[in-house]
Amino acid sequence: MPDHRTAGPSPPGMRARPGRWAAAMATLLAVAGFLAVTQARTEWQIRRTLRIPSTRLEELAFELREQERRRAALEGQVGELRVRLAEYERAAAEGRTAAVRLSRDLQELRARVGLTALEGPGVVVTLSDSTRPPRAGEDPNKTILHYSDIAAVVAELWAAGAEAVALNGERVISNTGVNCVGTTILCNTKRMAPPYVITAIGDRARLTEYLRRPGGVLELLAAFDFPVRLAAYARVQVPPYRGTFRFEYAGVSEKE
Amino acid sequence: MWLPVVGLVVGVALGFLFSVEIPLGYVKYTAIMILAAIDTILGGLRAQVEDRFDLRIFLSGFVVNAAFAALLTGIGDLLGLDIYLGAVIAFSIRIFDNVGFIRRDVLTHYLKIGR
């Protein structure tokens, strides 16, 4: 230390006011020593905990601020995305319930238009051509069943509240026509041959009562000696419609 | 004559005893203060060697220099400029000057004595 060395030899001029000088120097040295040690310790601690010298701290602080700003922006984005995710999830859930509802509706509609086999209580009407040989001079047409007879029976069944009707295993749907080509009866473009078995699901008592009413088609047919059989069952089955649906000219109207 | 050494030892001991944490923002200010103190100490030493030591000049030099350096540092922080480096350089130059003068004084003294 220079002060030690200069103090050591103690040249004559150096002790002008030795007490005040020494006291002032001691005070300042104490201050300097204290500050230096504190500073060194702080620096050492920074170095030890952060592993970087304090001269780089400003740069790092800037970097930190920048990263914090970016993080805040990203957090905002995360929040936004969470909200959107929740929306999507809700929409997906709604879509699922909507899909379930749609498929239920679809099932219901398929049953209503006749695309599914149905079963339930009902009646079975069996009609055949007349077994009686035609009398002399009688029109033989009067001893065979006509498509109009079948159509009339089907119409009566609908009128009596039948919910599903099948003719010889062919489902009668909304656009089913019973027609004839020559000597064969067509239903859903399928050829029919006697006996004609008409199955209908509905209130057995009502169906039977309505079909057997006086002046009904069955009474008329019986009067013409056609074998008519009407039986009620606790459980009858009608098959599904197997044909196609075509709308070549018809379009869905916007007006109700 | 041992008083200055005792002062230094006491200061260092106090520094070790009381673990005062300097906030990061003030590290620059304490560094400037330390430089100011070293500058003042060497200035005082030189004045003593040259036999023109004045307590008022000594203390006012320390206080004013330290205060001014701190002011410069503060302005530098405000402006985003490292103005305190100017104070550091000025103090360093003065410290080297003083060391040089002290060395010359001591050498002349010893050479005079040797003769």
Side-chain angles (χ1 to χ4, degrees):
Chain A
M1 300 299 279
D3 58 333
H4 186 74
R5 289 190 65 188
T6 45
S10 56
M14 268 187 129
R15 306 198 184 200
R17 292 167 196 138
R20 289 172 85 181
W21 177 82
M25 287 298 271
T27 311
L28 222 58
L29 274 166
V31 169
F34 176 75
L35 281 175
V37 167
T38 308
Q39 174 94 349
R41 288 183 71 182
T42 304
E43 186 68 28
W44 180 69
Q45 206 155 1
I46 289 167
R47 240 178 246 265
R48 199 190 47 180
T49 52
L50 301 179
R51 299 178 181 284
I52 35 163
S54 65
T55 43
R56 277 202 64 207
L57 285 177
E58 295 237 340
E59 186 190 325
L60 288 166
F62 175 77
E63 193 78 8
L64 180 68
R65 270 199 300 278
E66 191 69 11
Q67 294 296 340
E68 271 172 354
R69 199 179 54 75
R70 223 175 292 172
R71 198 189 64 167
L74 285 171
E75 270 172 357
Q77 229 170 318
V78 165
E80 199 182 299
L81 287 170
R82 283 230 180 89
V83 169
R84 222 184 296 170
L85 182 66
E87 265 169 29
Y88 284 148
E89 275 171 352
R90 200 164 51 239
E94 271 169 17
R96 264 200 297 281
T97 58
V100 166
R101 202 167 53 233
L102 272 176
S103 99
R104 210 170 46 226
D105 287 357
L106 183 65
Q107 212 53 32
E108 174 90 19
L109 286 170
R110 281 166 64 85
R112 280 190 195 179
V113 299
L115 286 169
T116 55
L118 293 176
E119 61 175 43
V123 295
V124 175
V125 180
T126 313
L127 304 169
S128 294
D129 289 335
S130 178
T131 49
R132 173 176 65 81
R135 280 186 285 262
E138 195 185 27
D139 186 355
N141 271 336
K142 290 195 173 166
T143 61
I144 59 170
L145 279 169
H146 289 267
Y147 75 90
S148 51
D149 303 325
I150 311 288
V153 173
V154 171
E156 289 217 334
L157 284 167
W158 287 132
E163 289 169 5
V165 177
L167 168 59
N168 276 16
E170 197 60 28
R171 183 74 172 268
V172 179
I173 60 161
S174 61
N175 59 352
T176 296
V178 179
N179 213 331
C180 74
V181 175
T183 54
T184 51
I185 289 176
L186 292 176
C187 174
N188 284 344
T189 73
K190 210 160 180 198
R191 289 171 179 205
M192 299 284 139
Y196 302 103
V197 180
I198 305 165
T199 314
I201 297 174
D203 187 333
R204 280 174 289 174
R206 260 182 74 193
L207 291 172
T208 311
E209 199 184 329
Y210 190 77
L211 286 173
R212 285 221 171 119
R213 80 187 189 283
V217 182
L218 289 192
E219 197 192 53
L220 190 69
L221 289 171
F224 277 91
D225 293 323
F226 287 104
V228 172
R229 210 154 64 84
L230 172 64
Y233 294 97
R235 194 165 151 255
V236 294
Q237 270 187 316
V238 295
Y241 173 67
R242 292 192 193 82
T244 54
F245 294 95
R246 284 179 78 185
F247 282 119
E248 220 170 306
Y249 301 100
V252 176
S253 175
E254 294 298 321
K255 285 184 214 159
E256 278 294 311
Chain B
M1 214 35 57
W2 291 98
L3 203 53
V5 182
V6 170
L8 181 66
V9 169
V10 166
V12 170
L14 282 177
F16 275 111
L17 277 175
F18 302 98
S19 49
V20 180
E21 191 95 357
I22 301 168
L24 285 183
Y26 294 98
V27 167
K28 271 192 287 193
Y29 294 88
T30 45
I32 281 287
M33 290 286 269
I34 291 164
L35 272 179
I38 292 170
D39 170 54
T40 309
I41 288 160
L42 290 175
L45 192 61
R46 177 187 165 194
Q48 181 69 5
V49 169
E50 292 175 0
D51 203 10
R52 51 178 181 82
F53 178 80
D54 188 328
L55 188 65
R56 282 166 300 180
I57 290 172
F58 180 78
L59 288 181
S60 67
F62 172 69
V63 171
V64 170
N65 281 351
F68 190 67
L71 183 70
L72 271 184
T73 311
I75 290 168
D77 273 353
L78 274 179
L79 298 178
L81 275 171
D82 286 339
I83 295 178
Y84 80 99
L85 285 176
V88 169
I89 289 163
F91 280 133
S92 302
I93 288 169
R94 278 168 60 93
I95 287 166
F96 277 108
D97 269 1
N98 284 338
V99 168
F101 278 116
I102 290 163
R103 177 176 49 86
R104 213 165 296 169
D105 287 342
V106 169
L107 277 178
T108 343
H109 179 71
Y110 273 105
L111 288 177
K112 269 179 193 164
I113 281 183
R115 269 176 209 164

